[in-house]
Amino acid sequence: MDRQMIIGMHFGNGYGSQPGAWRMPGVDPTGYTSFDNQVRYAQAAERGKFQFLFVPDFPALKGDIETEAPQITIDPMMTLAAVARGTERIGMVATGSTTFNEPYNLARQFKALDLMSHGRAGWNAVPTSDPAIAANYGRDVPRRAEKYQRLHESIQIVQALWGSWEQDAWVHDASSGRFADPAKIRPINLRGQYVGSSGPLPLPPSEQGQPVIFQAGGGDQGMEVAGRYASGVIGAVYTIEDARAQRTALRNAAERAGRDPDEIKFFPGLMTTIAPDRRAGLDRRIAVSGHTFPQRVGYLGQMLGLRLDANWLDEPLSQALLATARPWPQDPRSAHALKIAREGWSLRDVLAHGVIDYHPVIAGPADEAADHMQAWFEAGAADGFWISPDVYEDGIDTFVDGVVPILQERGLFHRDYAGTTLRDHLDAPSQYGLDPRIAD
Amino acid sequence: MDRQMIIGMHFGNGYGSQPGAWRMPGVDPTGYTSFDNQVRYAQAAERGKFQFLFVPDFPALKGDIETEAPQITIDPMMTLAAVARGTERIGMVATGSTTFNEPYNLARQFKALDLMSHGRAGWNAVPTSDPAIAANYGRDVPRRAEKYQRLHESIQIVQALWGSWEQDAWVHDASSGRFADPAKIRPINLRGQYVGSSGPLPLPPSEQGQPVIFQAGGGDQGMEVAGRYASGVIGAVYTIEDARAQRTALRNAAERAGRDPDEIKFFPGLMTTIAPDRRAGLDRRIAVSGHTFPQRVGYLGQMLGLRLDANWLDEPLSQALLATARPWPQDPRSAHALKIAREGWSLRDVLAHGVIDYHPVIAGPADEAADHMQAWFEAGAADGFWISPDVYEDGIDTFVDGVVPILQERGLFHRDYAGTTLRDHLDAPSQYGLDPRIAD
């Protein structure tokens, strides 16, 4: 069989990726604290054979809390513990910052999640750069070099702890009374510049050995971390060209670290509003997030090189005005925004297309999403995608019932899980403890 | 109705409190990593109307791993997340050290557990003193004064974070589009000598407002912490006199902190092997832990002031020898050990009575356990108990089916949960944020 794409789902605040999702009809407005809902949404993604859930993190209050729910789950590990208990096959990747967490605590909780889910856990290992987060830990943001050095040290310590109980150390033979082989449980005694641990971590291997590493960083240092350790990289990239360039750079980084480039998978984001047709898709996005459009008109103007007024939301831009527009080179989304504006949509509809969202947006029929994914996948711009449904309550199901069957018919997506672990789902090579190829 | 006792259950490694529990007939020897088993055991305790589970912690490898399972769950919070999803009423208290954890992380995960369990979470806030644990965090054990100062600071910061989202701040009114009232979500800006946080913690109140504080420390400093903040204190005490003295001291400490002494509940431990009669109870303890007895004979001798030989296990001590015995004053269990020895039991049976276990031991019929609990409770030595069943697989059920009905018939224990939250179960006063009576 040919290469097939891998699909993950953004798993955030219990409502969906759109700021107004929490107040849509049919949505439980108290979903922010509902683990029942989160489990149900994970089950919906599992029905669609998604390979993983991806849980971002931001341990501080962000955004306009007066009108918008926080974009982040109340706690990534507790949420995934609930999901692990309520699902069977889907992988689950949580973000865990190494800047304000101890490696021993990270190693322990992610391994516990891995055991609890029977080998479906992944760790998105990232540094933290936001002063609001640092302040919640009574600190300042460390210098970039320090953050990345600590990230390297933390990943190595965590992986060494995961491997500190050898794969066959746990004997649990009731007849002989032998619980474990102490000769196969050893300290790691790693001490870096910023963090250290003696170990061992008294946890046996999971069904996939140990959790899979993800990365979501940027810049040269993030690329180097991904190249060394990551099996999956979560991207925020707007054009197929940028995605292909990033994927190539990641594959090169993996090769530089002595790995097979196929071991690292790149997942650009895609935000979906699946609807019977484009008009219905735009109307749904207007219903869920249209209240934010007036304050976005100014930035849209900057992207198009035009002075725009929030009072013009209901009208298309005039041909005369469009003739003077020039895409703003600083924002890679500008050319696409101008293309949409030139199609004659009202300013409100232009914004409803998601031209200034963090990821490409599909607002329309399922085959548009499938076409987008196929084009990126076949162009070598992606190994798969992480999908951000607009509103979880029905937006996961519309993707699962609409887009997934098309991808399956085209041979681009599996019809069922072949394996049981996240490592299986990602076709990531087995690893236990530190990767011996990665010398520090 | 008169005062009734509160019962918690020790919730450890998934096998039971006895070192050999993992290899008993009918026990799943892989239970160390089985969340299914843990949930089933929690459900068994809930069937018995236990008010809470108590999860100790020790983030390092301890004990003889070759023959004994680690005594600690693989991760307290992940275990209780699973239990929260699988139970309805029982409270759940986890140990979380303030020495190597950040207050923000503690505040977030315990509040998440509290939301997830609909108000059933408690935090056993303790410092860490063990060099093996410190080494897992790449550090040395801090000085005692520093540990306790950091404990005070951490509890206050955590409670302030819990209160940083006022009780009615979360509006979630879909019709008006108002998610929260930002005027009621405020930073805490607390900075101590060792830890600090700006907050707010973006989490609304749980059904009990915020988690309940437990303490398990010792010494004057532990007593002071308990007196200020704790609703429950977990004790390790062997005699009724010591228990009464400790309970009185705790109540005095609460009064000194400006609280009503009834706000603090003291729970001595009790280890149970419930069996049809004493002989069956002793045989069960010999089966589960008899392999450890040979190496305990020496210490038993020290307690009795006698030179004992491991070859004498099958015989009772001679009257001549017993006449020379003197209880060792350094160990409060010595008098009880001598009393049992004088009853004429073999050395093996003396040890099977649990005379050198960490808590009083009942090995015998249910009414012996009920009598013990009643005596301590009525003597003002306890507000309740935390029970450590020998082997969870059947040892919880024998307690629930044997001891609980006796206590209920005697009017000493509730017949069902009256409330829904841990705060209800403990009759702890409502609290949200810092206790205004506790000035630092």
Side-chain angles (χ1 to χ4, degrees):
Chain A
M1 184 160 44
D2 276 348
R3 194 170 72 101
Q4 290 188 316
M5 62 176 69
I6 293 163
I7 305 183
M9 188 177 87
H10 169 264
F11 206 57
N13 62 8
Y15 301 111
S17 65
Q18 288 301 297
W22 71 272
R23 62 190 186 85
M24 288 292 278
V27 172
D28 172 7
T30 68
Y32 183 44
T33 59
S34 169
F35 289 80
D36 288 345
N37 288 358
Q38 295 269 28
V39 169
R40 199 157 45 80
Y41 300 149
Q43 288 167 341
E46 188 170 65
R47 185 172 69 83
K49 315 299 180 192
F50 281 54
Q51 276 91 349
F52 64 92
L53 303 171
F54 177 77
V55 181
D57 196 24
F58 192 90
L61 186 60
K62 185 167 77 165
D64 176 11
I65 192 73
E66 183 151 14
T67 60
E68 297 178 5
Q71 283 297 296
I72 300 296
T73 174
I74 61 174
D75 184 83
M77 297 310 282
M78 300 301 274
T79 298
L80 289 185
V83 167
R85 298 290 304 166
T87 56
E88 298 287 335
R89 301 294 279 277
I90 195 166
M92 46 196 78
V93 182
T95 300
S97 167
T98 59
T99 307
F100 301 116
N101 285 299
E102 290 287 344
Y104 190 88
N105 292 341
L106 288 165
R108 189 183 189 192
Q109 278 209 333
F110 275 91
K111 189 72 172 285
L113 179 66
D114 207 29
L115 288 162
M116 189 170 190
S117 63
H118 300 286
R120 297 186 282 139
W123 172 32
N124 180 37
V126 295
T128 296
S129 308
D130 196 285
I133 296 174
N136 278 340
Y137 295 93
R139 316 237 190 104
D140 297 320
V141 174
R143 289 171 301 108
R144 187 171 174 86
E146 176 180 335
K147 274 188 319 186
Y148 275 93
Q149 174 62 23
R150 184 172 163 137
L151 175 59
H152 276 285
E153 292 175 10
S154 296
I155 295 176
Q156 290 179 30
I157 290 169
V158 166
Q159 291 194 326
L161 285 168
W162 286 340
S164 62
W165 182 308
E166 277 184 39
Q167 292 203 265
D168 57 351
W170 191 23
V171 182
H172 56 71
D173 177 23
S175 59
S176 69
R178 198 151 197 248
F179 188 73
D181 181 350
K184 293 180 174 170
I185 298 174
R186 276 188 284 263
I188 63 164
N189 292 325
L190 280 180
R191 170 162 282 291
Q193 201 177 339
Y194 299 102
V195 281
S197 187
S198 62
L201 180 72
L203 297 182
S206 77
E207 283 82 343
Q208 67 173 352
Q210 68 191 26
V212 173
I213 304 288
F214 270 60
Q215 231 280 317
D220 291 348
Q221 282 157 307
M223 191 74 76
E224 197 214 333
V225 170
R228 279 199 190 195
Y229 312 103
S231 300
V233 174
I234 292 294
V237 57
Y238 206 74
T239 68
I240 197 167
E241 294 76 21
D242 284 354
R244 191 162 39 198
Q246 277 201 31
R247 179 167 177 265
T248 302
L250 282 166
R251 293 172 62 84
N252 292 342
E255 274 194 313
R256 280 199 305 278
R259 299 168 68 203
D260 179 339
D262 288 340
E263 291 180 26
I264 191 165
K265 307 287 194 300
F266 180 56
F267 305 109
L270 180 65
M271 304 179 86
T272 54
T273 294
I274 305 302
D277 54 41
R278 177 79 61 94
R279 183 69 259 155
L282 298 176
D283 288 344
R284 180 172 158 109
R285 281 185 62 92
I286 290 166
V288 66
S289 293
H291 63 285
T292 67
F293 289 180
Q295 71 247 36
R296 292 191 180 184
V297 167
Y299 187 78
L300 178 62
Q302 190 167 354
M303 285 168 73
L304 303 179
L306 300 174
R307 284 214 162 180
L308 299 183
D309 189 308
N311 290 317
W312 305 345
L313 272 171
D314 290 322
E315 295 155 43
L317 294 175
S318 70
Q319 287 306 320
L321 199 60
L322 281 169
T324 70
R326 282 179 319 176
W328 188 38
Q330 268 89 321
D331 192 319
R333 300 170 295 191
S334 301
H336 178 67
L338 184 54
K339 172 177 167 287
I340 298 293
R342 286 195 168 133
E343 290 174 5
W345 303 97
S346 72
L347 216 44
R348 191 185 313 278
D349 285 342
V350 172
L351 286 163
H353 276 83
V355 296
I356 47 179
D357 276 79
Y358 300 114
H359 303 285
V361 171
I362 299 295
D367 59 355
E368 275 190 30
D371 291 347
H372 171 101
M373 294 167 79
Q374 179 167 10
W376 284 46
F377 183 67
E378 292 182 345
D383 296 287
F385 301 87
W386 62 295
I387 304 296
S388 293
D390 50 2
V391 180
Y392 293 146
E393 187 61 34
D394 57 352
I396 304 170
D397 287 338
T398 53
F399 189 95
V400 167
D401 296 324
V403 183
V404 167
I406 298 173
L407 295 172
Q408 288 169 331
E409 276 157 36
R410 295 181 188 174
L412 294 166
F413 188 58
H414 66 176
R415 289 184 182 272
D416 203 351
Y417 300 102
T420 59
T421 68
L422 177 56
R423 210 171 277 279
D424 292 338
H425 302 342
L426 297 172
D427 192 25
S430 66
Q431 183 179 341
Y432 196 69
L434 284 167
D435 184 340
R437 296 168 304 179
I438 310 297
D440 194 22
Chain B
M1 182 162 43
D2 276 347
R3 196 170 70 101
Q4 290 188 315
M5 62 176 69
I6 294 164
I7 305 183
M9 188 176 87
H10 169 265
F11 205 59
N13 62 8
Y15 301 111
S17 66
Q18 289 302 298
W22 71 272
R23 61 189 187 86
M24 288 292 278
V27 172
D28 172 7
T30 68
Y32 183 45
T33 60
S34 169
F35 290 79
D36 289 345
N37 287 359
Q38 295 270 27
V39 169
R40 199 156 46 79
Y41 300 148
Q43 289 167 341
E46 189 171 64
R47 185 171 70 83
K49 315 300 180 190
F50 280 55
Q51 276 91 348
F52 64 92
L53 304 171
F54 177 75
V55 181
D57 196 23
F58 191 90
L61 186 60
K62 186 166 75 166
D64 176 11
I65 192 71
E66 183 152 14
T67 61
E68 297 177 6
Q71 283 297 298
I72 300 296
T73 173
I74 60 174
D75 185 82
M77 298 308 283
M78 301 301 274
T79 298
L80 289 185
V83 167
R85 298 290 303 166
T87 55
E88 299 287 335
R89 301 294 278 277
I90 195 166
M92 47 196 77
V93 181
T95 300
S97 166
T98 60
T99 307
F100 301 115
N101 285 299
E102 291 287 344
Y104 190 89
N105 292 342
L106 288 165
R108 189 184 190 192
Q109 278 208 334
F110 275 91
K111 189 73 172 283
L113 180 66
D114 206 28
L115 289 162
M116 189 169 189
S117 63
H118 301 286
R120 297 186 281 139
W123 172 32
N124 180 38
V126 295
T128 295
S129 308
D130 197 285
I133 296 175
N136 278 341
Y137 295 93
R139 312 227 196 111
D140 296 321
V141 175
R143 289 172 300 110
R144 187 171 173 86
E146 176 180 333
K147 273 188 319 185
Y148 274 93
Q149 174 62 22
R150 184 172 163 138
L151 175 59
H152 276 285
E153 293 175 9
S154 295
I155 294 176
Q156 290 179 30
I157 291 169
V158 166
Q159 290 194 327
L161 285 168
W162 286 341
S164 62
W165 182 310
E166 278 185 36
Q167 291 202 267
D168 57 350
W170 192 22
V171 183
H172 56 72
D173 177 22
S175 59
S176 69
R178 197 148 198 254
F179 187 74
D181 181 349
K184 294 180 173 170
I185 298 173
R186 276 187 286 263
I188 62 164
N189 293 325
L190 280 180
R191 169 163 281 293
Q193 201 177 337
Y194 298 104
V195 282
S197 188
S198 62
L201 180 72
L203 297 183
S206 77
E207 283 82 344
Q208 67 172 352
Q210 68 190 24
V212 174
I213 303 288
F214 271 59
Q215 231 280 316
D220 291 347
Q221 283 159 306
M223 191 73 77
E224 196 214 334
V225 170
R228 281 198 187 195
Y229 312 104
S231 301
V233 173
I234 292 294
V237 56
Y238 205 73
T239 68
I240 198 166
E241 295 76 21
D242 285 354
R244 191 161 39 199
Q246 275 199 35
R247 180 166 175 265
T248 301
L250 282 167
R251 292 172 62 84
N252 292 343
E255 273 192 316
R256 280 198 305 278
R259 299 167 70 202
D260 179 338
D262 287 341
E263 291 181 27
I264 193 166
K265 307 287 193 299
F266 180 56
F267 305 110
L270 179 66
M271 305 180 88
T272 55
T273 293
I274 306 302
D277 54 42
R278 178 79 61 92
R279 182 69 258 157
L282 297 177
D283 287 344
R284 181 173 157 107
R285 282 184 61 92
I286 290 167
V288 67
S289 293
H291 63 287
T292 67
F293 289 179
Q295 70 246 37
R296 293 190 180 185
V297 166
Y299 187 78
L300 177 62
Q302 189 166 356
M303 286 168 72
L304 302 180
L306 300 174
R307 283 213 164 181
L308 299 184
D309 190 308
N311 291 317
W312 305 346
L313 270 171
D314 290 322
E315 296 156 42
L317 295 176
S318 68
Q319 289 305 322
L321 201 60
L322 281 168
T324 71
R326 282 178 319 175
W328 188 39
Q330 266 91 321
D331 192 319
R333 300 170 294 191
S334 301
H336 179 68
L338 183 55
K339 172 177 169 287
I340 297 293
R342 286 192 168 134
E343 288 174 7
W345 304 97
S346 73
L347 216 45
R348 191 186 312 279
D349 285 342
V350 172
L351 287 163
H353 275 83
V355 296
I356 47 180
D357 278 78
Y358 301 115
H359 303 285
V361 171
I362 299 294
D367 59 354
E368 275 191 30
D371 291 347
H372 171 101
M373 295 167 78
Q374 180 168 9
W376 284 46
F377 183 66
E378 292 181 345
D383 297 287
F385 301 87
W386 61 295
I387 303 296
S388 293
D390 50 1
V391 180
Y392 292 147
E393 187 61 34
D394 57 352
I396 304 169
D397 287 338
T398 52
F399 188 95
V400 167
D401 295 324
V403 184
V404 167
I406 297 173
L407 296 172
Q408 288 169 331
E409 277 158 36
R410 296 182 187 173
L412 293 166
F413 188 57
H414 67 176
R415 288 185 182 271
D416 203 351
Y417 299 103
T420 59
T421 69
L422 177 57
R423 210 171 277 279
D424 293 336
H425 302 341
L426 298 173
D427 191 25
S430 66
Q431 182 179 344
Y432 196 69
L434 283 166
D435 185 341
R437 297 170 301 181
I438 310 296
D440 195 21

